[in-house]
Amino acid sequence: MEKAIRQKIFENAKEWVYEAGEKIREHMQRQFQIDTKSNPNDLVTEVDKATEQFFAEKIKNTHPDHKLIGEEGYGDKVENVDGVIWIIDPIDGTMNFVHQKRNFAISIGIYQDGIGEIGLIYNVMEDVLYTALKGEGAYRNQDKLPLLSDNVQIETSIVGMNSILACENKRVNEKKIQQLIKDCRGTRSYGSAALEFAFVAEGIMDCYVTMNLAPWDFAAGYILIEEVGGKTVQATGDPVNLLTNNTIITCNKQIYQDLTNYIEFK
């Protein structure tokens, strides 16, 4: 993607993210409908749906040749990664949104022919916007994020993980995970994959491990991590797939090999 085109798309996306964030904060002052999807803990609200519809309309009106992959059903049927694709989670961390009124984010990853060009993760209640443009670094608001430290070991690492440690009918070896918890400096779980990616990019966590993320959960974060010199792969070591759910390890490269010793499937 040409730099001028990328910048124009980025400016559009940034404007829409701030506008959507303001709408979400306004919605939170009123009662809203809460539904469930795949299970009683898989929540969706009318705010999720309205926010994704807002982005879908903006994208189609401004960039009609672009495609959209979204969580809430306003996207296109995308079968390959050709062209420009917006991958959007309107509210990543819906359970936090419902129960805590914090620790949730708008997540947008924009790809061209499978290459990450633009990433935005907006921590709505903190009013913190993480951004990344391919080859231009990553930012927290106006502050450029440094490259990740080259002096990190498991023993000094903060490890993010969630409670879902199974995928494709396989379970992670719990004893190995328990050993990781013992060996690292500490563990965290924020309930928003987008924010956990952002925190790894910022260097306030050193890795994030999870066994089941959809593309809209990691699309923006993947680009941020690339721009600060980190690594994101499936737990098998294979590249992530933008069109399916994935296991995910995203981390400081310095601990990747050691980290894989703790990820073993039964």
Side-chain angles (χ1 to χ4, degrees), residues 119 121 130-140 143-152 196-207 220-232 250-254:
I121 296 173
Y130 297 88
T131 59
L133 283 80
K134 185 177 184 297
E136 299 182 38
Y139 289 78
R140 182 187 187 275
D143 299 324
K144 189 170 185 178
L145 298 177
L147 296 177
L148 297 179
S149 171
D150 59 2
N151 185 28
V152 176
E196 285 163 309
F197 267 87
F199 295 160
V200 174
E202 191 176 353
I204 59 177
M205 292 201 314
D206 299 291
C207 68
Y222 180 93
I223 300 168
L224 262 70
I225 296 296
E226 286 285 299
E227 289 300 312
V228 295
K231 184 180 184 75
T232 304
T250 188
C251 63
N252 186 309
K253 288 181 179 178
Q254 299 300 314

Side-chain angles (χ1 to χ4, degrees), residues 121-265:
I121 296 173
Y122 184 42
N123 186 336
V124 175
M125 301 310 292
E126 300 275 338
D127 192 26
V128 173
L129 179 62
Y130 297 88
T131 59
L133 283 80
K134 185 177 184 297
E136 299 182 38
Y139 289 78
R140 182 187 187 275
N141 290 333
Q142 304 304 315
D143 299 324
K144 189 170 185 178
L145 298 177
L147 296 177
L148 297 179
S149 171
D150 59 2
N151 185 28
V152 176
Q153 298 92 31
I154 290 293
E155 292 77 13
T156 60
S157 295
I158 300 295
V159 176
M161 61 178 67
N162 68 13
S163 60
I164 302 173
L165 291 175
C167 67
E168 297 178 353
N169 300 317
K170 297 185 294 185
R171 288 197 62 82
V172 172
N173 187 323
E174 290 92 345
K175 290 184 178 179
K176 292 270 191 177
I177 294 296
Q178 289 168 3
Q179 192 62 50
L180 172 59
I181 293 170
K182 292 177 181 178
D183 290 348
C184 72
R185 178 162 282 172
T187 60
R188 301 288 185 270
S189 181
Y190 291 94
S192 165
L195 289 180
E196 285 163 309
F197 267 87
F199 295 160
V200 174
E202 191 176 353
I204 59 177
M205 292 201 314
D206 299 291
C207 68
Y208 173 53
V209 179
T210 183
M211 293 299 116
N212 189 26
L213 283 189
W216 44 79
D217 296 316
F218 65 79
Y222 180 93
I223 300 168
L224 262 70
I225 296 296
E226 286 285 299
E227 289 300 312
V228 295
K231 184 180 184 75
T232 304
V233 293
Q234 296 192 55
T236 57
D238 295 321
V240 297
N241 186 325
L242 295 174
L243 301 179
T244 65
N245 283 22
N246 291 246
T247 60
I248 290 288
I249 297 174
T250 188
C251 63
N252 186 309
K253 288 181 179 178
Q254 299 300 314
I255 60 171
Y256 173 70
Q257 289 300 328
D258 289 337
L259 192 60
T260 60
N261 294 329
Y262 297 95
I263 310 300
E264 178 182 283
F265 292 103

